[in-house]
Each structure stands twice: as structure tokens, then as C-alpha cells.
Amino acid sequence: MKIIFAGVFEERSTNIAQVRGFEENGCEVINFPYRDFRNKDEELISLCKRTNPHLVFISKGNGLSANSVRACNRICKTVLWYMAVSYTHLTLPTI
């Protein structure tokens, strides 16, 4: 499975471990450091068109537009991931 992972890949980023998890399970991962691009929407869409992935995994994706997600959805599935804060279980009531 080929995955475009739109995230942050700086030291101590949880995205690094997430990518490693995909790779350890046999996925080919293309890192897309979306914060590094001025025209991040255009760059992501272009990367999708060039690489034809099975999945685009977006971690937070602040600054990416809904239109770029829709464009990627025409090519493959997309996932928008927001990691829960580690203390969430202490602040939310049990359901």
C-alpha cells in the first residue's frame, strides 16, 4: 500500500513514529511536510496526481483547504487524523 503522509517530521514529532508504524507493516510511505510549502494545497494535489497513492493520511493538516482534500479524494481515500491528548481520559466523562 502506498501512503502519502502529510505531517510534521521534525525531531520529537509523533508523526515520525506513525510513519515508522506504517512502514513496519509493509506500506510505502511518501512524507509530505505540509508546513514547509507555501502552496501546500497545490503541492499535495500535484503529489497525489504524480504518485497515485492508495491513501492520503493527514495529521492535523492546519492550513490545508477542504478543496485539496476533495481533490485527493478523487484519486484515493483520505484520512484526517487528530491525536487525542494523553490526559483526555482524565477530563472526559466515561460514556
Side-chain angles (χ1 to χ4, degrees), residues 35-55:
R35 290 182 182 171
D36 294 350
F37 294 96
R38 173 175 279 171
N39 298 316
K40 55 190 84 203
D41 292 314
E42 294 169 20
E43 293 288 342
L44 179 59
I45 294 166
S46 176
L47 182 61
C48 274
K49 288 178 179 177
R50 283 193 322 271
T51 62
N52 196 28
H54 297 98
L55 179 73

PDB file of all heavy atoms in Angstrom, residues 35-55:
ATOM      1  N   ARG A  35       3.832  21.840   6.207  1.00  0.00           N
ATOM      2  CA  ARG A  35       4.166  23.172   6.736  1.00  0.00           C
ATOM      3  C   ARG A  35       5.319  23.828   5.985  1.00  0.00           C
ATOM      4  O   ARG A  35       5.525  25.027   6.090  1.00  0.00           O
ATOM      5  CB  ARG A  35       4.506  23.086   8.217  1.00  0.00           C
ATOM      6  CG  ARG A  35       3.318  22.777   9.087  1.00  0.00           C
ATOM      7  CD  ARG A  35       3.717  22.762  10.539  1.00  0.00           C
ATOM      8  NE  ARG A  35       2.603  22.412  11.400  1.00  0.00           N
ATOM      9  CZ  ARG A  35       2.723  22.158  12.688  1.00  0.00           C
ATOM     10  NH1 ARG A  35       3.913  22.210  13.268  1.00  0.00           N
ATOM     11  NH2 ARG A  35       1.660  21.845  13.397  1.00  0.00           N
ATOM     12  N   ASP A  36       6.075  23.023   5.237  1.00  0.00           N
ATOM     13  CA  ASP A  36       7.241  23.540   4.516  1.00  0.00           C
ATOM     14  C   ASP A  36       6.886  24.169   3.169  1.00  0.00           C
ATOM     15  O   ASP A  36       7.765  24.719   2.511  1.00  0.00           O
ATOM     16  CB  ASP A  36       8.261  22.416   4.269  1.00  0.00           C
ATOM     17  CG  ASP A  36       8.869  21.889   5.551  1.00  0.00           C
ATOM     18  OD1 ASP A  36       8.656  22.498   6.620  1.00  0.00           O
ATOM     19  OD2 ASP A  36       9.554  20.853   5.486  1.00  0.00           O
ATOM     20  N   PHE A  37       5.628  24.089   2.765  1.00  0.00           N
ATOM     21  CA  PHE A  37       5.236  24.557   1.442  1.00  0.00           C
ATOM     22  C   PHE A  37       4.381  25.811   1.527  1.00  0.00           C
ATOM     23  O   PHE A  37       3.446  25.872   2.321  1.00  0.00           O
ATOM     24  CB  PHE A  37       4.447  23.473   0.693  1.00  0.00           C
ATOM     25  CG  PHE A  37       5.260  22.258   0.369  1.00  0.00           C
ATOM     26  CD1 PHE A  37       5.230  21.160   1.200  1.00  0.00           C
ATOM     27  CD2 PHE A  37       6.055  22.229  -0.764  1.00  0.00           C
ATOM     28  CE1 PHE A  37       5.978  20.029   0.907  1.00  0.00           C
ATOM     29  CE2 PHE A  37       6.815  21.109  -1.063  1.00  0.00           C
ATOM     30  CZ  PHE A  37       6.770  20.007  -0.222  1.00  0.00           C
ATOM     31  N   ARG A  38       4.691  26.772   0.681  1.00  0.00           N
ATOM     32  CA  ARG A  38       3.875  27.981   0.611  1.00  0.00           C
ATOM     33  C   ARG A  38       2.525  27.654  -0.039  1.00  0.00           C
ATOM     34  O   ARG A  38       1.487  28.095   0.422  1.00  0.00           O
ATOM     35  CB  ARG A  38       4.595  29.061  -0.197  1.00  0.00           C
ATOM     36  CG  ARG A  38       3.733  30.286  -0.448  1.00  0.00           C
ATOM     37  CD  ARG A  38       4.486  31.353  -1.124  1.00  0.00           C
ATOM     38  NE  ARG A  38       5.247  32.038  -0.075  1.00  0.00           N
ATOM     39  CZ  ARG A  38       6.163  32.942  -0.302  1.00  0.00           C
ATOM     40  NH1 ARG A  38       6.472  33.266  -1.516  1.00  0.00           N
ATOM     41  NH2 ARG A  38       6.790  33.524   0.692  1.00  0.00           N
ATOM     42  N   ASN A  39       2.553  26.884  -1.129  1.00  0.00           N
ATOM     43  CA  ASN A  39       1.331  26.489  -1.846  1.00  0.00           C
ATOM     44  C   ASN A  39       0.999  25.032  -1.509  1.00  0.00           C
ATOM     45  O   ASN A  39       0.951  24.177  -2.372  1.00  0.00           O
ATOM     46  CB  ASN A  39       1.529  26.644  -3.355  1.00  0.00           C
ATOM     47  CG  ASN A  39       1.798  28.082  -3.732  1.00  0.00           C
ATOM     48  OD1 ASN A  39       1.141  28.991  -3.233  1.00  0.00           O
ATOM     49  ND2 ASN A  39       2.780  28.291  -4.586  1.00  0.00           N
ATOM     50  N   LYS A  40       0.767  24.787  -0.213  1.00  0.00           N
ATOM     51  CA  LYS A  40       0.619  23.408   0.265  1.00  0.00           C
ATOM     52  C   LYS A  40      -0.517  22.654  -0.405  1.00  0.00           C
ATOM     53  O   LYS A  40      -0.401  21.466  -0.669  1.00  0.00           O
ATOM     54  CB  LYS A  40       0.503  23.361   1.784  1.00  0.00           C
ATOM     55  CG  LYS A  40      -0.582  24.212   2.384  1.00  0.00           C
ATOM     56  CD  LYS A  40      -0.475  24.288   3.903  1.00  0.00           C
ATOM     57  CE  LYS A  40       0.498  25.337   4.249  1.00  0.00           C
ATOM     58  NZ  LYS A  40       1.180  25.403   5.406  1.00  0.00           N
ATOM     59  N   ASP A  41      -1.634  23.332  -0.700  1.00  0.00           N
ATOM     60  CA  ASP A  41      -2.758  22.658  -1.361  1.00  0.00           C
ATOM     61  C   ASP A  41      -2.354  22.175  -2.754  1.00  0.00           C
ATOM     62  O   ASP A  41      -2.565  21.010  -3.097  1.00  0.00           O
ATOM     63  CB  ASP A  41      -3.972  23.591  -1.470  1.00  0.00           C
ATOM     64  CG  ASP A  41      -4.582  23.907  -0.118  1.00  0.00           C
ATOM     65  OD1 ASP A  41      -4.761  22.974   0.675  1.00  0.00           O
ATOM     66  OD2 ASP A  41      -4.861  25.085   0.137  1.00  0.00           O
ATOM     67  N   GLU A  42      -1.783  23.069  -3.530  1.00  0.00           N
ATOM     68  CA  GLU A  42      -1.361  22.709  -4.892  1.00  0.00           C
ATOM     69  C   GLU A  42      -0.301  21.607  -4.871  1.00  0.00           C
ATOM     70  O   GLU A  42      -0.346  20.693  -5.691  1.00  0.00           O
ATOM     71  CB  GLU A  42      -0.813  23.947  -5.611  1.00  0.00           C
ATOM     72  CG  GLU A  42      -1.856  25.008  -5.864  1.00  0.00           C
ATOM     73  CD  GLU A  42      -1.229  26.315  -6.330  1.00  0.00           C
ATOM     74  OE1 GLU A  42      -0.075  26.298  -6.812  1.00  0.00           O
ATOM     75  OE2 GLU A  42      -1.903  27.350  -6.206  1.00  0.00           O
ATOM     76  N   GLU A  43       0.632  21.687  -3.942  1.00  0.00           N
ATOM     77  CA  GLU A  43       1.706  20.687  -3.849  1.00  0.00           C
ATOM     78  C   GLU A  43       1.143  19.309  -3.481  1.00  0.00           C
ATOM     79  O   GLU A  43       1.568  18.300  -4.039  1.00  0.00           O
ATOM     80  CB  GLU A  43       2.752  21.117  -2.820  1.00  0.00           C
ATOM     81  CG  GLU A  43       3.529  22.348  -3.203  1.00  0.00           C
ATOM     82  CD  GLU A  43       4.525  22.095  -4.332  1.00  0.00           C
ATOM     83  OE1 GLU A  43       4.867  20.942  -4.608  1.00  0.00           O
ATOM     84  OE2 GLU A  43       4.962  23.089  -4.935  1.00  0.00           O
ATOM     85  N   LEU A  44       0.194  19.271  -2.552  1.00  0.00           N
ATOM     86  CA  LEU A  44      -0.400  17.991  -2.158  1.00  0.00           C
ATOM     87  C   LEU A  44      -1.181  17.373  -3.307  1.00  0.00           C
ATOM     88  O   LEU A  44      -1.044  16.180  -3.601  1.00  0.00           O
ATOM     89  CB  LEU A  44      -1.296  18.160  -0.929  1.00  0.00           C
ATOM     90  CG  LEU A  44      -1.987  16.888  -0.433  1.00  0.00           C
ATOM     91  CD1 LEU A  44      -0.972  15.814  -0.063  1.00  0.00           C
ATOM     92  CD2 LEU A  44      -2.897  17.208   0.747  1.00  0.00           C
ATOM     93  N   ILE A  45      -1.983  18.164  -3.978  1.00  0.00           N
ATOM     94  CA  ILE A  45      -2.756  17.662  -5.123  1.00  0.00           C
ATOM     95  C   ILE A  45      -1.820  17.163  -6.208  1.00  0.00           C
ATOM     96  O   ILE A  45      -2.029  16.078  -6.778  1.00  0.00           O
ATOM     97  CB  ILE A  45      -3.707  18.751  -5.653  1.00  0.00           C
ATOM     98  CG1 ILE A  45      -4.769  19.069  -4.603  1.00  0.00           C
ATOM     99  CG2 ILE A  45      -4.354  18.316  -6.962  1.00  0.00           C
ATOM    100  CD1 ILE A  45      -5.547  20.355  -4.884  1.00  0.00           C
ATOM    101  N   SER A  46      -0.776  17.917  -6.497  1.00  0.00           N
ATOM    102  CA  SER A  46       0.197  17.513  -7.508  1.00  0.00           C
ATOM    103  C   SER A  46       0.873  16.197  -7.133  1.00  0.00           C
ATOM    104  O   SER A  46       1.045  15.304  -7.973  1.00  0.00           O
ATOM    105  CB  SER A  46       1.242  18.617  -7.682  1.00  0.00           C
ATOM    106  OG  SER A  46       2.240  18.219  -8.569  1.00  0.00           O
ATOM    107  N   LEU A  47       1.244  16.050  -5.871  1.00  0.00           N
ATOM    108  CA  LEU A  47       1.879  14.817  -5.404  1.00  0.00           C
ATOM    109  C   LEU A  47       0.922  13.630  -5.548  1.00  0.00           C
ATOM    110  O   LEU A  47       1.326  12.551  -5.971  1.00  0.00           O
ATOM    111  CB  LEU A  47       2.326  14.976  -3.950  1.00  0.00           C
ATOM    112  CG  LEU A  47       3.056  13.789  -3.327  1.00  0.00           C
ATOM    113  CD1 LEU A  47       4.347  13.478  -4.087  1.00  0.00           C
ATOM    114  CD2 LEU A  47       3.351  14.078  -1.850  1.00  0.00           C
ATOM    115  N   CYS A  48      -0.340  13.843  -5.234  1.00  0.00           N
ATOM    116  CA  CYS A  48      -1.344  12.780  -5.407  1.00  0.00           C
ATOM    117  C   CYS A  48      -1.453  12.355  -6.864  1.00  0.00           C
ATOM    118  O   CYS A  48      -1.482  11.153  -7.166  1.00  0.00           O
ATOM    119  CB  CYS A  48      -2.715  13.250  -4.928  1.00  0.00           C
ATOM    120  SG  CYS A  48      -2.995  13.038  -3.194  1.00  0.00           S
ATOM    121  N   LYS A  49      -1.498  13.329  -7.733  1.00  0.00           N
ATOM    122  CA  LYS A  49      -1.624  13.011  -9.163  1.00  0.00           C
ATOM    123  C   LYS A  49      -0.394  12.278  -9.686  1.00  0.00           C
ATOM    124  O   LYS A  49      -0.513  11.360 -10.486  1.00  0.00           O
ATOM    125  CB  LYS A  49      -1.855  14.295  -9.960  1.00  0.00           C
ATOM    126  CG  LYS A  49      -3.234  14.880  -9.756  1.00  0.00           C
ATOM    127  CD  LYS A  49      -3.404  16.175 -10.526  1.00  0.00           C
ATOM    128  CE  LYS A  49      -4.793  16.747 -10.337  1.00  0.00           C
ATOM    129  NZ  LYS A  49      -4.956  18.042 -11.013  1.00  0.00           N
ATOM    130  N   ARG A  50       0.789  12.690  -9.234  1.00  0.00           N
ATOM    131  CA  ARG A  50       2.038  12.073  -9.708  1.00  0.00           C
ATOM    132  C   ARG A  50       2.259  10.665  -9.173  1.00  0.00           C
ATOM    133  O   ARG A  50       2.775   9.807  -9.871  1.00  0.00           O
ATOM    134  CB  ARG A  50       3.251  12.927  -9.300  1.00  0.00           C
ATOM    135  CG  ARG A  50       3.470  14.151 -10.110  1.00  0.00           C
ATOM    136  CD  ARG A  50       4.855  14.765  -9.867  1.00  0.00           C
ATOM    137  NE  ARG A  50       5.346  14.718  -8.506  1.00  0.00           N
ATOM    138  CZ  ARG A  50       5.122  15.645  -7.574  1.00  0.00           C
ATOM    139  NH1 ARG A  50       4.382  16.703  -7.867  1.00  0.00           N
ATOM    140  NH2 ARG A  50       5.633  15.533  -6.365  1.00  0.00           N
ATOM    141  N   THR A  51       1.872  10.420  -7.916  1.00  0.00           N
ATOM    142  CA  THR A  51       2.231   9.157  -7.271  1.00  0.00           C
ATOM    143  C   THR A  51       1.091   8.150  -7.188  1.00  0.00           C
ATOM    144  O   THR A  51       1.335   6.982  -6.920  1.00  0.00           O
ATOM    145  CB  THR A  51       2.779   9.406  -5.853  1.00  0.00           C
ATOM    146  OG1 THR A  51       1.761  10.029  -5.054  1.00  0.00           O
ATOM    147  CG2 THR A  51       4.022  10.285  -5.901  1.00  0.00           C
ATOM    148  N   ASN A  52      -0.153   8.620  -7.386  1.00  0.00           N
ATOM    149  CA  ASN A  52      -1.328   7.745  -7.352  1.00  0.00           C
ATOM    150  C   ASN A  52      -1.331   6.822  -6.124  1.00  0.00           C
ATOM    151  O   ASN A  52      -1.321   5.602  -6.257  1.00  0.00           O
ATOM    152  CB  ASN A  52      -1.407   6.934  -8.647  1.00  0.00           C
ATOM    153  CG  ASN A  52      -2.773   6.323  -8.845  1.00  0.00           C
ATOM    154  OD1 ASN A  52      -3.773   6.846  -8.368  1.00  0.00           O
ATOM    155  ND2 ASN A  52      -2.822   5.200  -9.525  1.00  0.00           N
ATOM    156  N   PRO A  53      -1.403   7.391  -4.920  1.00  0.00           N
ATOM    157  CA  PRO A  53      -1.357   6.578  -3.706  1.00  0.00           C
ATOM    158  C   PRO A  53      -2.689   5.860  -3.455  1.00  0.00           C
ATOM    159  O   PRO A  53      -3.710   6.184  -4.068  1.00  0.00           O
ATOM    160  CB  PRO A  53      -1.102   7.619  -2.611  1.00  0.00           C
ATOM    161  CG  PRO A  53      -1.810   8.833  -3.126  1.00  0.00           C
ATOM    162  CD  PRO A  53      -1.571   8.816  -4.618  1.00  0.00           C
ATOM    163  N   HIS A  54      -2.654   4.922  -2.533  1.00  0.00           N
ATOM    164  CA  HIS A  54      -3.882   4.258  -2.093  1.00  0.00           C
ATOM    165  C   HIS A  54      -4.582   5.089  -1.021  1.00  0.00           C
ATOM    166  O   HIS A  54      -5.786   4.993  -0.838  1.00  0.00           O
ATOM    167  CB  HIS A  54      -3.563   2.879  -1.511  1.00  0.00           C
ATOM    168  CG  HIS A  54      -2.967   1.953  -2.502  1.00  0.00           C
ATOM    169  ND1 HIS A  54      -1.610   1.737  -2.583  1.00  0.00           N
ATOM    170  CD2 HIS A  54      -3.531   1.203  -3.468  1.00  0.00           C
ATOM    171  CE1 HIS A  54      -1.366   0.880  -3.553  1.00  0.00           C
ATOM    172  NE2 HIS A  54      -2.519   0.544  -4.116  1.00  0.00           N
ATOM    173  N   LEU A  55      -3.780   5.900  -0.293  1.00  0.00           N
ATOM    174  CA  LEU A  55      -4.301   6.640   0.854  1.00  0.00           C
ATOM    175  C   LEU A  55      -3.489   7.910   1.061  1.00  0.00           C
ATOM    176  O   LEU A  55      -2.265   7.905   0.885  1.00  0.00           O
ATOM    177  CB  LEU A  55      -4.173   5.765   2.116  1.00  0.00           C
ATOM    178  CG  LEU A  55      -4.632   6.355   3.440  1.00  0.00           C
ATOM    179  CD1 LEU A  55      -6.152   6.431   3.491  1.00  0.00           C
ATOM    180  CD2 LEU A  55      -4.115   5.505   4.593  1.00  0.00           C
TER     181      LEU A  55
END
